Amino acid sequence: MMAAPIESLLNEICESEDPIEELKSLRTAVLATPVSGLRQAVSGARLEIIFGLLNTNDKEQIEVCVEILSRVLQALEPVQLSQNYKTALQSGLNHPNDSVKLLALTQMGRVAGHTDGVTQMQNSAQILRDVIQCISVERIAVAKEAIAALSKLSNTKAGLDVLFHSDLLNKLKDVMLTSDIIRYRVYELIVEVSRVSPVSLGYCANSGLISQMLEELTGDDVLVRATAIEMVTNLAQSQHGRQYLAQQGIMDKISNMIIAAESDPFSSLYLPGLVKFFGSLAIMDSPQQVCEKYPVFLEVVFSMAMNLDPTLTPVALDTLGVLGNTVEGKQVLQKTGEKFTSVLKRISKVVADGATELRVRCLEALAHLLTLPAIGCQPWAQQLMMDTPGFVEWLMDRSVGTGKEAKDCKFEVVGAVLSSSSAREIFGGHNYLKLKTYLNEGPYYVNAVSSVITEGAD
């Protein structure tokens, strides 16, 4: 139905010397037309008019053209894009305006994610070089879109062959020389590609770029080191990634870095990253295996929790909470005996007199750590809850910790407490009854008082 107005507007734009008003009318028409209708309404030759109008310094004109093209190109199949608009998209990649680059990269990502599109791109090395060049653009949104497009390309063997077995790999290495920041954007791409499958990891490893990234773990620049640890942690999210890192001796290397950090005055910049690495490893594999094989991990977590350093303690609390989320993790912590008890007492003290943000983190960590019946029903743990100012109130306050995980966690704590004979004596009759009510109401009970008040207000 809208085909005719769109067609006539394109004719008007073609004939106008200053087409901004006509472009705005076209934008309105295009946004009001269903995608299926756009497919029929726009012929290939006509879109070149809009692409041509991007060649201006008028920012408003560029913005309107980008909005029109974003909508219209979405209606076209990826293969149509690569066949009919290859030149226009390539111009977009090299356009000085970032929003035009983003438009072109988004469409290139659609082409790269399509089997036939990959075949087209195999014969378009220059376009891919331009996509790679966009990784070095200052604006992070542009670089991210370029990384996303190249990642999609790597989902097929044909795409991997294009990216890693040609001069494109050299182009990637050249772009890396721009700066530390750009080098790490390329590492981000390599990690993204590596996580897809063992095959894609093999391509990345053979390129030499993963080993180059791993060498940066022990570089002189502590900020670069911190970023390298983050990348390695992301690589470890896949099982084949963890196997590769283990084969390369990276777990042992990071364990040794934790040991060496004690004598490094700048370690607070990268130590949290090292701890997060082993924390995520423990969750994905086995808390017991990781803590037994790398005992320094738990030692440093306890130390960070005890020392109340504003940059280190939050990470320690989060790690303890993550370990405390699993039965095996709780058992590992319990095995350390007095060390763990000291940490719990320290956490409860922070709840009493720490900064607000830290107190919230401590309460969340305590909730995770005290959920296991083996701990929650222990008189010493119950006494710790009572001695921690605000903990019992926080536990029974349904207006805080409103996510499902938080609700389940609180409910488990209450259940663990009430399963023991010591609860009434330690918590007192009043709190004991409130806890029983909480348990009977279930984890997702919503207090109806607020809605009654609202009705009254009307």
Side-chain angles (χ1 to χ4, degrees):
M1 191 178 74
M2 292 293 290
I6 288 175
E7 191 68 28
S8 63
L9 282 166
L10 281 165
N11 287 333
E12 286 175 36
I13 289 165
C14 208
E15 291 161 11
S16 173
E17 284 185 21
D18 184 17
I20 190 67
E21 293 309 318
E22 289 86 350
L23 280 169
K24 286 179 180 176
S25 299
L26 178 61
R27 175 177 62 185
T28 304
V30 160
L31 292 175
T33 307
V35 173
S36 56
L38 285 175
R39 232 170 248 135
Q40 301 153 5
V42 186
S43 59
R46 289 293 176 178
L47 273 192
E48 297 299 335
I49 301 165
I50 311 298
F51 275 113
L53 290 172
L54 289 168
N55 300 321
T56 176
N57 293 323
D58 184 332
K59 284 188 176 175
E60 188 185 19
Q61 181 170 311
I62 289 172
E63 186 187 319
V64 177
C65 287
V66 165
E67 286 183 70
I68 292 167
L69 288 168
S70 295
R71 175 76 174 165
V72 173
L73 294 177
Q74 209 62 35
L76 301 178
E77 293 298 325
V79 179
Q80 285 179 281
L81 287 173
S82 57
Q83 284 174 346
N84 303 333
Y85 299 106
K86 195 185 290 183
T87 310
L89 289 173
Q90 189 167 355
S91 298
L93 295 172
N94 293 288
H95 197 284
N97 187 297
D98 284 346
S99 62
V100 181
K101 283 193 177 81
L102 276 169
L103 167 74
L105 285 166
T106 304
Q107 301 307 322
M108 291 305 297
R110 291 182 62 216
V111 174
H114 194 281
T115 315
D116 294 335
V118 173
T119 311
Q120 292 273 337
M121 289 175 96
Q122 279 177 290
N123 307 317
S124 313
Q126 187 52 51
I127 284 195
L128 290 171
R129 272 196 288 274
D130 292 338
V131 173
I132 290 169
Q133 188 61 44
C134 285
I135 296 175
S136 67
V137 171
E138 188 178 348
R139 189 173 162 197
I140 187 71
V142 174
K144 290 273 186 198
E145 206 62 54
I147 289 167
L150 292 166
S151 296
K152 284 180 189 166
L153 183 66
S154 308
N155 281 335
T156 62
K157 188 177 183 305
L160 287 165
D161 284 335
V162 171
L163 197 55
F164 289 101
H165 289 174
S166 66
D167 64 339
L168 290 181
L169 181 57
N170 291 329
K171 176 65 180 175
L172 267 179
K173 290 178 178 177
D174 286 344
V175 165
M176 289 175 83
L177 300 173
T178 313
S179 68
D180 285 348
I181 290 171
I182 306 307
R183 186 168 77 255
Y184 271 91
R185 287 181 185 172
V186 175
Y187 287 150
E188 188 182 326
L189 168 65
I190 294 301
V191 169
E192 279 293 313
V193 173
S194 298
R195 284 169 59 175
V196 174
S197 69
V199 172
S200 61
L201 173 61
Y203 275 83
C204 294
N206 292 336
S207 74
L209 290 176
I210 296 187
S211 53
Q212 185 180 331
M213 178 180 82
L214 296 177
E215 281 167 21
E216 303 215 23
L217 278 172
T218 48
D220 293 334
D221 186 326
V222 287
L223 292 175
V224 167
R225 199 183 299 177
T227 314
I229 292 157
E230 200 178 315
M231 295 290 167
V232 172
T233 303
N234 289 340
L235 184 56
Q237 299 303 305
S238 65
Q239 191 178 4
H240 60 269
R242 291 196 293 284
Q243 284 173 342
Y244 174 81
L245 291 171
Q247 287 162 4
Q248 302 298 312
I250 297 304
M251 280 67 163
D252 294 327
K253 184 183 245 186
I254 291 178
S255 176
N256 291 332
M257 284 172 74
I258 291 179
I259 295 166
E262 201 175 346
S263 56
D264 182 355
F266 300 108
S267 65
S268 64
L269 293 168
Y270 60 86
L271 190 55
L274 300 176
V275 168
K276 283 179 186 173
F277 172 80
F278 276 119
S280 66
L281 213 60
I283 293 314
M284 288 179 290
D285 288 343
S286 151
Q288 187 173 342
Q289 283 178 16
V290 170
C291 293
E292 283 179 3
K293 194 170 182 185
Y294 308 102
V296 69
F297 161 56
L298 212 47
E299 283 170 28
V300 82
V301 169
F302 285 166
S303 168
M304 283 160 65
M306 296 295 282
N307 289 343
L308 296 188
D309 179 295
T311 55
L312 300 179
T313 305
V315 176
L317 291 169
D318 291 350
T319 306
L320 287 167
V322 162
L323 288 171
N325 247 342
T326 65
V327 172
E328 189 183 319
K330 287 189 183 81
Q331 288 168 341
V332 167
L333 292 167
Q334 254 195 302
K335 276 184 195 170
T336 64
E338 192 55 44
K339 285 182 185 175
F340 179 48
T341 311
S342 301
V343 168
L344 284 176
K345 285 176 180 171
R346 167 60 104 181
I347 291 174
S348 67
K349 187 175 185 316
V350 176
V351 173
D353 48 29
T356 306
E357 190 189 339
L358 207 52
R359 285 176 63 198
V360 171
R361 265 192 154 119
C362 285
L363 286 166
E364 287 174 354
L366 274 177
H368 287 303
L369 294 166
L370 299 174
T371 50
L372 190 71
I375 296 176
C377 63
Q378 295 287 332
W380 65 264
Q382 293 175 4
Q383 196 59 57
L384 180 67
M385 293 181 206
M386 278 304 289
D387 293 344
T388 302
F391 183 81
V392 176
E393 290 80 359
W394 174 83
L395 189 61
M396 293 187 287
D397 185 352
R398 293 187 184 271
S399 66
V400 292
T402 51
K404 183 182 183 303
E405 190 186 332
K407 287 177 179 178
D408 288 342
C409 180
K410 283 183 170 190
F411 187 72
E412 283 179 47
V413 176
V414 173
V417 165
L418 292 174
S419 69
S420 81
S421 56
S422 58
R424 185 190 289 272
E425 185 187 338
I426 291 172
F427 285 89
H430 179 64
N431 282 329
Y432 182 77
L433 285 173
K434 285 175 82 171
L435 287 166
K436 292 242 353 161
T437 304
Y438 189 102
L439 192 71
N440 291 336
E441 288 170 345
Y444 311 120
Y445 178 78
V446 178
N447 196 329
V449 173
S450 56
S451 60
V452 173
I453 291 169
T454 310
E455 285 166 24
D458 291 342

